[in-house]
Amino acid sequence: MSESAKLTIGSQEIELPVIRGSEDEPAIDISKLRASTGFITLDDGYGNTGSCKSDITFIDGEKGILRYRGIPIEELAEKSRFVEVAWLLIHGKLPTSEELRGFSDLLTQNQNLHEDMKHHFEAFPAMAHPMAILSSMINASSCFYPGLNDKELRVDRFPIHSARLLSQVRTIAAFSYRKSRGLPILYPKPELKYSENFLHMMFSEPYRDYQMSDVVVRALDLIFLLHADHEQNCSTSTVRMVASSQANMFASAAAGVCALWGPLHGGANQAVVEMLEAIHADSDDGSRFIRDAKDKTKGKRLMGFGHRVYRNYDPRARIIKKACDDLFDALEHSDPLLDIAKTLEKAALEDDYFIERKLYPNVDFYSGIILRALGIPTEMFPVIFAIGRMPGWIANFKEILEEPHSRIYRPRQIYTGQVNQSYVPVDERS
Ligand code: CMC
């Protein structure tokens, strides 16, 4: 017998279907609520709203579980690589070796931007934030690929468009960094793998190649992999929102970059390092900052802590913390910010304020410290997040593209403004 929920509104009682996900997560289907009762639901920040059904990523925030296409993040982090995980997310299964080779080749063949795109980089001021450049240039790229907006071609050409976007996001990101430093642009090299190529384009010099180290390449690849998807977060929902109007994949991804930029989302890795630097500069051991973060009048938060979905340790944070220790050992590197971060984490996890609100470290708490050790400048941290998140955005775009009955996303509101008013001519207004 199918499950249902009963809702009583005054004297009216209606029955609403209950649906369950493949991990048994329950939901009340309210899609017919307004038509049958005139009521809508109000859910500030969408904390209780499922905006779609999706096969891509599963999170159990209470238990601290994250799986891509059913595979635990811990296993992927240990055994897989970013490009393989990108395929998994986009196509729904692990690739065969032939599929993986074909996908890598497609990424290589599509890694160069159209030459005319280079002129666009010239127009940005030197101090432009790389997230602004990234979003603008992803959108600008769409001008060079006819077919992106064509409904039939969008489906047929999905493999090439998605490979192009995934490959070129890394090229655009590196170009924007070099532009901001006044350095000559370096092209990707076909013989290098995904993460190696990014390091090459960022750090090689025209006459001296960047010296690849396996440990560094692996650390960057792991950061990309851990960010690859995270179900209906702010940026992914934005991508789906834009895609629901049948906008093209590049336009949808460019909107995702903008949504990711803020310090409460993908900008948090930058904000964490800036917070740690400020604590260090103040000669605070972290205790003063923790006190301020609990005081609502101070307007401060412990960045890299808390999550809308996780009420437990973010599994990605656990992996990143260990990767950070391993990297520092391998490079014989030290950073006072790592010591401050560990002290802050310990203090927060023992503090009633954070315990009661179930605030734990999230993915951003340690990722910035790794990126600093790799020589990535702070303002590029959200860009690294965006490169990593691209497979998730593409996979979510694909779900909308392939959904035969896909509807435009169009939430309702409760209007709280003035009721019906008459226009008053300007000379009669007091
Ligand atoms: N420091 C201090 N207090 C906090 C923090 C924090 N980092 N996070 C939440 N709180 C408090 C908040 O003030 C509220 O307290 P009260 O109940 O007394 O009003 C309570 O905890 C619940 O917080 P909320 O703002 O309702 O939680 P939310 O689900 O709306 O926000 C969040 C989630 C991630 C935006 C928030 O925890 C935050 O701002 N964290 C810091 C920024 C951050 O690290 N963002 C990265 C998130 S992970 C990467 C990603 O996927 O985007």
Side-chain angles (χ1 to χ4, degrees):
M1 205 179 70
S2 55
E3 276 181 281
S4 65
K6 282 199 173 71
L7 176 67
T8 310
I9 308 171
S11 57
Q12 190 183 8
E13 186 177 277
I14 59 155
E15 212 163 282
L16 298 163
V18 165
I19 56 167
R20 288 186 183 268
S22 46
E23 291 280 352
D24 210 28
E25 335 84 271
I28 299 169
D29 180 352
I30 55 143
S31 50
K32 304 273 185 302
L33 181 66
R34 188 173 171 278
S36 54
T37 66
F39 280 76
I40 61 164
T41 55
L42 180 63
D43 184 17
D44 185 29
Y46 305 138
N48 303 283
T49 298
S51 60
C52 60
K53 291 183 195 159
S54 175
D55 296 346
I56 305 167
T57 289
F58 172 71
I59 301 176
D60 183 330
E62 315 302 322
K63 296 192 185 138
I65 291 174
L66 168 62
R67 297 187 201 123
Y68 295 163
R69 300 286 188 182
I71 306 178
I73 192 68
E74 292 80 4
E75 245 185 284
L76 292 169
E78 190 192 331
K79 299 179 184 158
S80 187
R81 293 291 179 273
F82 176 63
V83 167
E84 185 180 46
V85 162
W87 170 280
L88 167 72
L89 285 167
I90 296 169
H91 296 282
K93 66 176 188 66
L94 287 168
T96 62
S97 52
E98 203 179 316
E99 284 166 338
L100 186 56
R101 214 172 316 112
F103 187 48
S104 298
D105 289 348
L106 206 55
L107 293 176
T108 304
Q109 287 152 17
N110 288 286
Q111 61 192 359
N112 281 311
L113 307 184
H114 192 288
E115 268 303 289
D116 291 350
M117 281 278 288
K118 279 205 309 192
H119 304 303
H120 292 277
F121 283 95
E122 307 303 324
F124 290 102
M127 296 314 290
H129 195 288
M131 285 295 265
I133 304 183
L134 187 68
S135 154
S136 314
M137 296 304 271
I138 289 176
N139 211 359
S141 302
S142 67
C143 307
F144 294 88
Y145 304 119
L148 265 179
N149 293 310
D150 182 298
K151 203 152 181 235
E152 298 308 313
L153 289 179
R154 282 191 326 150
V155 176
D156 293 349
R157 309 216 69 204
F158 175 83
I160 181 109
H161 289 153
S162 53
R164 201 168 260 157
L165 181 54
L166 184 59
S167 196
Q168 293 187 5
V169 63
R170 168 194 54 161
T171 312
I172 294 172
F175 280 17
S176 67
Y177 163 72
R178 294 190 76 93
K179 156 78 190 154
S180 71
R181 296 286 154 119
L183 298 168
I185 278 170
L186 288 180
Y187 288 81
K189 289 185 171 189
E191 68 274 21
L192 294 179
K193 295 207 163 80
Y194 193 94
S195 300
E196 292 172 340
N197 235 331
F198 180 68
L199 289 164
H200 154 69
M201 287 188 279
M202 289 281 289
F203 299 127
S204 284
E205 290 168 28
Y207 302 104
R208 197 158 60 91
D209 276 351
Y210 173 76
Q211 292 304 298
M212 289 299 159
S213 130
D214 286 349
V215 196
V216 167
V217 173
R218 178 72 188 115
L220 179 65
D221 200 84
L222 180 69
I223 297 257
F224 287 152
L225 183 156
L226 292 175
H227 286 87
D229 194 41
H230 213 233
E231 54 120 298
Q232 302 312 314
N233 53 81
C234 176
S235 56
T236 303
S237 303
T238 301
V239 169
R240 288 187 84 115
M241 170 77 78
V242 178
S244 78
S245 76
Q246 299 185 354
N248 71 58
M249 192 194 305
F250 282 57
S252 305
V257 173
C258 294
L260 187 72
W261 189 354
L264 297 189
H265 190 13
N269 49 16
Q270 177 175 350
V272 168
V273 164
E274 286 166 356
M275 171 188 77
L276 296 173
E277 281 170 343
I279 293 173
H280 187 49
D282 277 1
S283 310
D284 175 12
D285 64 354
S287 46
R288 233 177 312 142
F289 191 90
I290 294 246
R291 211 168 43 240
D292 287 355
K294 295 188 291 182
D295 181 348
K296 301 279 194 277
T297 64
K298 302 270 186 203
K300 287 188 181 174
R301 281 195 166 192
L302 182 55
M303 301 310 287
F305 254 71
H307 200 277
R308 173 62 61 80
V309 181
Y310 293 118
R311 297 295 175 215
N312 202 324
Y313 215 99
D314 178 340
R316 302 166 301 171
R318 211 185 293 283
I319 298 168
I320 287 195
K321 185 178 179 187
K322 175 160 186 323
C324 191
D325 284 336
D326 292 349
L327 179 75
F328 276 45
D329 285 349
L331 299 181
E332 296 181 10
H333 183 76
S334 68
D335 185 343
L337 300 197
L338 179 59
D339 304 328
I340 295 175
K342 286 188 173 173
T343 314
L344 273 178
E345 181 192 339
K346 187 166 180 304
L349 292 178
E350 289 168 358
D351 190 299
D352 283 348
Y353 173 96
F354 292 89
I355 295 170
E356 278 159 20
R357 289 168 180 77
K358 298 189 177 166
L359 302 171
Y360 292 85
N362 60 49
V363 69
D364 291 312
F365 197 65
Y366 287 103
S367 62
I369 298 174
I370 294 193
L371 295 175
R372 245 166 86 91
L374 303 186
I376 311 262
T378 319
E379 71 276 11
M380 284 291 285
F381 293 0
V383 170
I384 301 290
F385 194 148
I387 300 174
R389 184 55 53 90
M390 195 54 81
W393 290 340
I394 294 172
N396 275 274
F397 178 91
K398 185 166 180 263
E399 279 195 341
I400 294 215
L401 186 69
E402 291 175 350
E403 167 59 57
H405 306 296
S406 165
R407 296 180 82 197
I408 190 163
Y409 281 24
R410 203 319 187 169
R412 295 269 175 166
Q413 64 165 18
I414 295 294
Y415 175 68
T416 54
Q418 312 228 31
V419 291
N420 198 8
Q421 304 256 349
S422 290
Y423 177 79
V424 181
V426 68
D427 48 1
E428 292 173 26
R429 292 175 210 159
S430 51

